[in-house]
Amino acid sequence: GRGAEPEAVACWVALGNEAISEPEVRAAYVRVIESDRALLESLVRDALQAEGARTADARRIAAGLLAAVEGAFRLAILAPEAIPGGSAASTVRQMADGLLAAAKGVSR
């Protein structure tokens, strides 16, 4: 979508691949992933608190969303035909909405 940076995504995917076999790259990759997960968890926790919902599932929800984003990055580079063009962000947003609604006990 708008603002997409395919070259940056390709670099990130390549780093992830390199992290599999290179301990030094893996350590740096894990630091970035953990930072992203912590930020997402904080945002999820804030969203749940704003709705008066329990926050016990914030880490699980954040991990799921991070996995969705990382998966979308990987597919966008390695198998772009697997994701309809421009749909990843809106799909992950819908996933976030569904996960937050479920945590709030709302049926969608």
Side-chain angles (χ1 to χ4, degrees), residues 32-46 62:
V32 172
I33 289 293
E34 180 53 28
S35 176
D36 288 350
R37 195 237 10 108
L39 174 60
L40 271 172
E41 183 178 348
S42 177
L43 293 169
V44 167
R45 189 174 311 284
D46 290 350

Side-chain angles (χ1 to χ4, degrees), residues 7-100:
E7 296 84 11
V9 172
C11 287
W12 181 247
V13 169
L15 280 169
N17 290 340
E18 192 71 15
I20 293 169
S21 61
E22 294 295 330
E24 190 174 324
V25 176
R26 181 184 178 105
Y29 183 85
V30 167
R31 282 193 302 273
V32 172
I33 289 293
E34 180 53 28
S35 176
D36 288 350
R37 195 237 10 108
L39 174 60
L40 271 172
E41 183 178 348
S42 177
L43 293 169
V44 167
R45 189 174 311 284
D46 290 350
L48 290 170
Q49 285 176 338
E51 295 291 326
R54 65 187 188 89
T55 61
D57 290 333
R59 185 177 184 118
R60 180 186 61 79
I61 292 169
L65 293 174
L66 182 58
V69 169
E70 288 294 309
F73 284 167
R74 184 162 299 280
L75 289 175
I77 297 305
L78 300 174
E81 64 285 350
I83 301 177
S87 70
S90 63
T91 300
V92 173
R93 175 59 192 247
Q94 288 176 327
M95 292 170 71
D97 289 345
L99 288 165
L100 292 171

